[in-house]
Structures are given as C-alpha cells and as structure tokens.
C-alpha cells in the first residue's frame, strides 16, 4: 500500500514498514523478506511518524501521530513478528515526528514535536520495560522519524527541522549528545541504514524539494554515493542494517504522491 510518514525497522532482508499516512493515519504493517512484501500484524491504533527500532521479530514503535489529525502520543508498542502489544511503559514526553534507534531491550527515542510545530530536545532510553529520561539533544529537532541509526550507546541523529531544515548531525554515546560533522545539505524526513561510524542517509527533503541523494558517513565525514532511482521523503529505511545493504521503502514522491516503491542499495 502506497503511503508516506512510515516507520522503518530492521534490515534490508528482514524489514518492517509500520503505520504511515495514506489518506489518513494508518494501522498497516508490511514485512519484507528480501524479495517480497506481505501483510504483518496491524497496529492497535492508526499512527504515523513514530520512531521505530529493533528487528522484524522484536521491534518497537514509539510516539507518533494518532488518528485523527496526527495528535501526538506518548504510547509505544512492541512487535513479536506476528502481533503488536502495548509496551509496559509509556514515553515520559508526548511526541510526534520522533526518531528511534537501538534494540527492543536497549532502545532510544529522541526529538520530535508535541504539537506539530515546536521542536523537542529531549531523549529517552528504553530497557524493554520502561522509559527513562536521557540527556537533552544539543539541538532541538522534529521531522526526524527515520533520521536516526545505531544503538543506544552509539547513535546518530541526522538532520531534521530546527525551525527550518538543518544540516546538524548529533551523536549520542549513551550519556551525552554532541554536534558532529554536518551534512553537505540540509535534510528532513530522510531514512538511514548502518552504524554511528559507518552509516547511510538517503532521500528526504531540503525544506523545498524532495531529494534522491545518498550519503555515507565514515565517522568523520560524509561522501555522496549513487543516488536513489526515485526521489522520496517520509520513507522507511533499515536502521539496523548496514551501509552496504540498505532498503528505501514507501514515502512521498515529487508531485507529491504517496509511493509504494521499494529500492535496495548494495555496495561491494
């Protein structure tokens, strides 16, 4: 099903696309096995722009905008490969357009917006049963629901909206957030794959135009790689994947129109 503002969880060959926006917020979940998509267990409530992390069989989808009107929420859900259940604890801060990283038992949620326009600077850590407050971002951002990658103790938050599209990249060491090397171009609503020192950031929007760029981070600088076939923002990625095997799924194409496209990136 073509949709934008999705959550992307997992790797290139074991991926989830969660929720999103069709003509309204959606409960749809689809699973990818490396060759085709099948319907997964539906979300208990229609939601978009939440922060996803974990794997296809042990995933978490936190925050996001509930139907109707993408009302920001503090709820999170866990996926076991078949169905969703409410997480034992709610986020401490209500947030939409938020980012997630890590695993089901060592996760991270950061940034977002409580009301659709303000930028959030808080971060929270998840241990599989409850959320606890972490230290604040160095820059408050929203429009980042697939902009993060890595693990709870070594994560990146790439770009976002800090009043306008930003080039800011923020690094987390499990305790503190620090600004690191900036993006070559400002980006919101992109997608990612890989780790804090070997990651990809692709697609997104520069504040005016939907982009097809694909950038690799080596821990110190960004390098442009081959572009996506179709420019898209609000797309799903593979945040638990690698920089040599990534997936870009769904999103919004120029037009704009909801997209059902899937592209794989492989580097040798």
């Amino acid at each position: 099903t073509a949709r934008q503002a999705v959550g992307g969880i997992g790797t290139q060959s074991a991926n989830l696309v969660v929720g999103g926006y069709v003509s309204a917020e959606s409960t749809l979940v689809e699973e990818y096995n490396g060759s085709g998509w099948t319907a997964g267990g539906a979300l208990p409530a229609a939601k978009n722009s939440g922060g996803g992390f974990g794997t296809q069989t042990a995933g978490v989808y936190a925050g996001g905008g509930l139907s109707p009107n993408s009302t920001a929420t503090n709820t999170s859900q866990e996926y076991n490969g078949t169905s969703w259940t409410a997480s034992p604890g709610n986020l401490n801060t209500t947030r939409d357009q938020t980012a997630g990283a890590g695993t089901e038992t060592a996760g991270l949620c950061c940034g977002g917006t409580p009301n659709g326009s303000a930028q959030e600077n808080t971060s929270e850590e998840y241990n599989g049963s409850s959320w606890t407050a972490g230290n604040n971002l160095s820059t408050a951002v929203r429009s980042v629901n697939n902009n993060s990658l890595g693990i709870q103790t070594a994560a990146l938050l790439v770009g976002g909206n800090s009043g306008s599209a930003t080039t800011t990249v923020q690094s987390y060491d499990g305790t503190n957030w620090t600004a690191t090397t900036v993006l070559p171009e400002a980006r919101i609503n992109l997608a990612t794959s890989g780790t804090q020192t070997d990651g990809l950031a692709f697609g997104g929007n520069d504040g005016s135009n939907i982009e097809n760029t694909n950038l690799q981070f080596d821990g110190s600088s960004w390098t442009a790689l081959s572009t996506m076939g179709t420019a898209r923002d609000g797309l799903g990625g593979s945040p638990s994947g690698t920089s040599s095997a990534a997936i870009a799924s769904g999103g919004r194409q120029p037009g704009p129109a909801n997209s059902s496209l899937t592209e794989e990136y492989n580097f040798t």
Side-chain angles (χ1 to χ4, degrees):
T1 299
R3 49 203 158 116
Q4 60 179 288
V6 299
I9 296 174
T11 65
Q12 184 192 74
S13 58
N15 196 258
L16 283 178
V17 165
V18 183
Y21 194 92
V22 183
S23 56
E25 296 81 6
S26 175
T27 62
L28 292 171
V29 175
E30 298 187 43
E31 299 180 355
Y32 188 64
N33 63 5
S35 60
W37 292 93
T38 57
L43 286 168
K47 187 189 283 192
N48 67 3
S49 299
F53 56 89
T55 67
Q56 190 184 72
T57 57
V60 178
Y61 190 56
L66 280 170
S67 178
N69 303 320
S70 292
T71 304
T73 179
N74 68 347
T75 58
S76 60
Q77 293 82 33
E78 296 182 350
Y79 191 63
N80 62 8
T82 304
S83 60
W84 295 87
T85 56
S87 299
N90 289 338
L91 291 165
N92 296 289
T93 301
T94 296
R95 58 183 86 213
D96 185 16
Q97 304 173 28
T98 188
T103 67
E104 186 181 49
T105 56
L108 181 67
C109 185
C110 54
T113 176
N115 58 16
S117 58
Q119 288 77 236
E120 185 65 54
N121 71 349
T122 57
S123 71
E124 304 186 35
E125 295 182 352
Y126 186 61
N127 63 7
S129 60
S130 62
W131 292 90
T132 57
N135 285 329
N136 289 347
L137 298 170
S138 56
T139 301
V141 287
R142 58 185 170 91
S143 302
V144 291
N145 61 295
N146 287 303
N147 291 45
S148 58
L149 71 164
I151 59 177
Q152 188 187 77
T153 55
L156 280 186
L157 181 61
V158 183
N161 185 324
S162 59
S164 59
T166 181
T167 60
T168 300
V169 179
Q170 304 179 64
S171 175
Y172 189 59
D173 62 6
T175 304
N176 296 311
W177 290 92
T178 56
T180 184
T181 307
V182 298
L183 287 168
E185 299 175 331
R187 286 289 182 275
I188 62 175
N189 292 329
L190 50 75
T192 62
S193 186
T195 68
Q196 187 186 61
T197 57
D198 187 13
L200 298 179
F202 42 92
N205 192 305
D206 66 3
S208 301
N209 305 298
I210 299 173
E211 300 288 343
N212 67 350
T213 52
N214 179 26
L215 303 169
Q216 184 175 25
F217 186 61
D218 63 5
S220 60
S221 62
W222 294 89
T223 303
L225 303 175
S226 58
T227 58
M228 295 167 57
T230 300
R232 284 174 281 156
D233 67 2
L235 70 166
S238 45
S240 296
T242 69
S243 66
S244 58
I247 189 170
S249 49
R252 181 182 66 144
Q253 299 174 215
N258 290 343
S259 178
S260 62
L261 292 174
T262 300
E263 296 184 44
E264 292 184 353
Y265 176 76
N266 295 284
F267 179 85
T268 57

